[in-house]
Amino acid sequence: YFFAPSSFVVQRSYSKSLLYLLYWVKIIDACGNTELLIKLMLNFNVFCRKFSRLLLSFFFLNFPIIALSNITNAQSQQIQNEILRWQKRLNIPAVSLSIAVPGNDVPINFVSGTTTLNGSQAITSNTLFQAGSISKSFTSMIILQLAAQGKLSLDDPITKYLPQYPRWNNVTIRQLLNHTSGIFDYTKAAKFNQIRKNTPQAEFSPEMIVSMVGGYRQLFTPGKGWKYSNTNYVLAGMIIEVVTKMPIS
């Protein structure tokens, strides 16, 4: 599994090329050719440079590598060096990678970096990282559970639960979940990025986050476009708290 401070997505136009790549990965994996598989893994950065938003993390996150059960020390060092290279290239504090190998009770672990950027405390394979956008899956699952229980409808306007945001009275819960609301992404807001730059350890309440997009127009009429926005899931989390009367955490 690959954990990073932010999430990475695959653009839809790259899906066909990705399928071709994974097709060969599965063939090599099935043949148990460790050397060839390692070579493909370590040259994956060539593919990443061509398709810049498809990062090494996606590859390792989704595909267990059977042929790595007999990995050599030299190959292990190659992977370690590649992780270090990506860490420096992305300017992130640390990277942690675990490869689960069928038949082995203990995963193969690789770590690089420190708990803070240029810090002194090295991470271990047990160090916790921010979950990032993985939490969107949890949030959407809870929303769907509440819909199945009849406690809300996906087509309810969000103002039914969050009346303090009347400007979004034509946005539905469904549109939050599938990023068709047109609501501005708070991570692109100038105020948010200024705070993050000046005070990296700053914490934000959901209300603070939503307030930061107040000065931005909707990107399009709800349901008439698509744009990834982290604000959508902040609002979805707030709806969960209203309906369940429990904190989203």
Side-chain angles (χ1 to χ4, degrees):
Y1 309 90
F2 184 98
F3 299 91
S6 59
S7 62
F8 304 112
V9 297
V10 181
Q11 292 184 351
R12 285 170 289 182
S13 58
Y14 302 154
S15 59
K16 190 172 183 181
S17 298
L18 175 63
L19 289 175
Y20 284 140
L21 174 70
L22 299 181
Y23 174 75
W24 284 106
V25 168
K26 288 182 179 294
I27 291 177
I28 295 168
D29 187 22
C31 294
N33 190 330
T34 306
E35 193 68 37
L36 186 55
L37 187 55
I38 292 291
K39 184 176 181 180
L40 176 63
M41 290 165 61
L42 297 181
N43 282 284
F44 191 62
N45 62 303
V46 176
F47 186 85
C48 291
R49 283 198 296 268
K50 184 175 180 182
F51 304 106
S52 61
R53 298 192 71 188
L54 178 61
L55 298 185
L56 195 61
S57 58
F58 182 84
F59 178 78
F60 283 123
L61 178 64
N62 288 279
F63 302 96
I65 311 301
I66 297 174
L68 289 179
S69 56
N70 58 344
I71 188 173
T72 66
N73 290 335
Q75 291 165 341
S76 178
Q77 188 59 52
Q78 281 183 289
I79 296 175
Q80 186 69 50
N81 292 341
E82 186 70 5
I83 291 173
L84 179 60
R85 191 182 70 80
W86 274 95
Q87 178 199 342
K88 291 180 177 179
R89 178 177 175 179
L90 298 174
N91 192 33
I92 55 178
V95 176
S96 179
L97 166 68
S98 292
I99 303 176
V101 180
N104 286 19
D105 294 332
V106 180
I108 303 173
N109 297 317
F110 300 89
V111 295
S112 177
T114 54
T115 55
T116 58
L117 193 61
N118 301 319
S120 59
Q121 183 177 345
I123 69 164
T124 71
S125 58
N126 293 320
T127 299
L128 296 179
F129 282 61
Q130 293 181 5
S133 287
I134 295 174
S135 62
K136 287 183 174 66
S137 300
F138 307 152
T139 303
S140 57
M141 180 187 69
I142 295 173
I143 289 285
L144 293 175
Q145 287 178 330
L146 293 174
Q149 295 167 4
K151 296 181 179 179
L152 58 76
S153 168
L154 296 182
D155 296 313
D156 284 339
I158 67 173
T159 49
K160 178 177 179 179
Y161 308 96
L162 304 174
Q164 64 269 41
Y165 304 120
R167 61 177 297 197
W168 296 322
N169 63 354
N170 58 345
V171 174
T172 67
I173 296 174
R174 186 188 304 275
Q175 290 164 345
L176 294 181
L177 300 186
N178 63 21
H179 295 291
T180 60
S181 70
I183 296 175
F184 193 80
D185 185 352
Y186 76 86
T187 65
K188 305 294 192 301
K191 183 177 181 180
F192 174 81
N193 285 291
Q194 189 64 38
I195 295 173
R196 294 293 287 173
K197 180 180 178 180
N198 296 334
T199 316
Q201 303 303 320
E203 297 183 0
F204 306 90
S205 68
E207 291 77 14
M208 289 173 60
I209 288 175
V210 175
S211 71
M212 293 181 189
V213 304
Y216 295 89
R217 294 190 306 171
Q218 280 187 259
L219 302 175
F220 46 79
T221 301
K224 301 298 183 181
W226 185 92
K227 187 68 174 179
Y228 189 95
S229 174
N230 290 285
T231 313
N232 288 328
Y233 275 77
V234 175
L235 291 165
M238 294 172 71
I239 290 172
I240 290 173
E241 292 188 333
V242 169
V243 175
T244 63
K245 296 180 174 57
M246 296 173 62
I248 186 65
S249 59

